[in-house]
Amino acid sequence: MVKSTSYLFFFISFGNFLSVYFIFQNDLRNDGRSKQDYRPIELELDIVTHANGSARVRLANTDILVGVKTEIDVPTSNRPEEGKIEFFVDCSANATPEFEGKGGQDLATEIGNYLGSSFASPLSFDLKPLCILKGVQCWKLYVDILILECGGNLFDAVSLAVKAALYNTMVPRVETVAMDGGNVDLQLSGDPFDCWRLDITNIPCLVTLTKIGEHLIVDPTAEEEECSMASLVVAVTESGRINSLCKTSVGSLHPQTLTDALKVGVEVGVGLNKALNEALGREEKRLQSNKPERFGFLK
């Protein structure tokens, strides 16, 4: 029984590969997209009440929820003038049958580690504004990522949701900082709306390029990922700078294929950043138009 099931799986996978591969010959995919087209993307901001910032991104059937929480912490000794940022990824067991039990832990670790490396450089995300008192206290950002549903292309969807959530993050303003006998006395603003926002200008978006046969495609579906030989994830800023890259899957990439993938990744990444910035602007206007008017008294 085990052998027959394995053979059946092989024939199904090989049939999917052939159908996907031959469709690519005419720059057309199963859902009608070209090789460099993304599926429809939906964005929502400020949907988690008790978070300092939050966003939800739906990339077709892939659904990602990100919440950002700020806390006061102590800077590291090797970076006393900077704040901190930490990523936590949780793969819901309902996202896909592969995540049942501990199936999603390796993928969650891989995504979290790559996000950490993408944000490590000050050229990507400057942590100095998060410093409150050099070497003593700073703001720490906890970025919690929940994968609600997996329909392919997790890296790209997660990066979009993270960048949107950081855009939405409101950091409380510190009015005074004083030292009292070696203890730090901080006074935060009494106005809960007196906050400042993070600069996300140089935060990269991740672009996944999947190799199927001799073709490179972006935004692969779950079916296309099963047919892929190798994938390259490129972190691209809105100015077109590549911050980092990594290869997933077990296959290899020819040097010329790698060069072509980087060129496509930069072109697609610049457009993706531009589209996200425009969507963030529209969502911000929508939130402000629906924001209830505040009334003050005893001032």
Side-chain angles (χ1 to χ4, degrees):
M1 290 298 293
V2 175
K3 289 185 177 180
S4 62
T5 303
S6 301
Y7 290 146
L8 178 61
F9 176 77
F10 169 78
F11 285 123
I12 292 176
S13 299
F14 187 67
N16 286 342
F17 173 80
L18 289 179
S19 63
V20 171
Y21 178 77
F22 284 118
I23 286 176
F24 285 160
Q25 302 298 322
N26 297 319
D27 193 22
L28 187 68
R29 295 155 77 169
N30 288 340
D31 52 11
R33 292 180 292 151
S34 69
K35 289 182 285 188
Q36 297 184 15
D37 285 343
Y38 272 83
R39 293 168 290 176
I41 303 175
E42 298 178 5
L43 170 67
E44 290 180 86
L45 294 178
D46 201 23
I47 58 175
V48 180
T49 305
H50 299 291
N52 293 87
S54 59
R56 184 174 184 176
V57 168
R58 299 181 184 89
L59 177 57
N61 293 333
T62 299
D63 196 353
I64 310 294
L65 176 64
V66 176
V68 181
K69 194 71 176 176
T70 62
E71 289 188 6
I72 296 177
D73 202 353
V74 179
T76 57
S77 58
N78 59 332
R79 293 185 175 182
E81 299 180 350
E82 296 182 359
K84 297 178 179 179
I85 184 170
E86 195 168 347
F87 298 93
F88 300 92
V89 183
D90 183 21
C91 299
S92 171
N94 297 323
T96 176
E98 298 177 1
F99 290 170
E100 293 181 358
K102 297 183 178 181
Q105 284 188 355
D106 292 340
L107 178 61
T109 301
E110 183 180 9
I111 294 176
N113 291 340
Y114 188 54
L115 285 174
S117 64
S118 299
F119 279 72
S121 170
L123 297 177
S124 300
F125 185 58
D126 189 7
L127 295 173
K128 288 184 178 180
L130 295 174
C131 180
I132 300 174
L133 189 61
K134 180 180 176 180
V136 180
Q137 285 194 338
C138 68
W139 288 108
K140 183 173 183 178
L141 305 178
Y142 292 93
V143 184
D144 295 313
I145 303 163
L146 177 60
I147 300 175
L148 298 172
E149 188 174 358
C150 180
N153 199 18
L154 281 178
F155 280 88
D156 296 25
V158 166
S159 73
L160 292 172
V162 167
K163 187 171 183 177
L166 291 174
Y167 170 85
N168 183 243
T169 299
M170 308 294 288
V171 182
R173 193 175 302 279
V174 178
E175 290 188 340
T176 59
V177 180
M179 296 290 294
D180 183 12
N183 297 323
V184 181
D185 184 17
L186 297 180
Q187 183 175 352
L188 302 180
S189 174
D191 184 358
F193 295 95
D194 185 14
C195 303
W196 58 277
R197 310 188 77 160
L198 302 169
D199 182 10
I200 67 163
T201 304
N202 295 321
I203 292 180
C205 287
L206 303 185
V207 178
T208 301
L209 297 120
T210 300
K211 182 183 178 184
I212 301 180
E214 298 300 323
H215 302 276
L216 287 170
I217 65 170
V218 301
D219 186 24
T221 62
E223 180 184 24
E224 290 169 342
E225 288 179 341
E226 291 181 359
C227 302
S228 68
M229 301 176 180
S231 295
L232 186 71
V233 183
V234 186
V236 184
T237 66
E238 60 183 45
S239 63
R241 186 181 68 250
I242 296 178
N243 283 8
S244 61
L245 58 91
C246 75
K247 188 188 74 68
T248 61
S249 303
V250 295
S252 60
L253 293 173
H254 189 273
Q256 184 58 46
T257 303
L258 177 61
T259 302
D260 295 340
L262 293 178
K263 291 180 180 179
V264 174
V266 170
E267 180 182 351
V268 173
V270 170
L272 186 62
N273 276 283
K274 181 180 179 181
L276 176 62
N277 290 336
E278 293 175 353
L280 290 174
R282 292 193 299 267
E283 180 68 4
E284 184 71 17
K285 291 181 180 179
R286 184 190 68 81
L287 290 175
Q288 290 180 354
S289 63
N290 295 335
K291 189 175 182 181
E293 185 178 356
R294 289 182 292 149
F295 297 94
F297 60 99
L298 296 180
K299 289 186 177 180

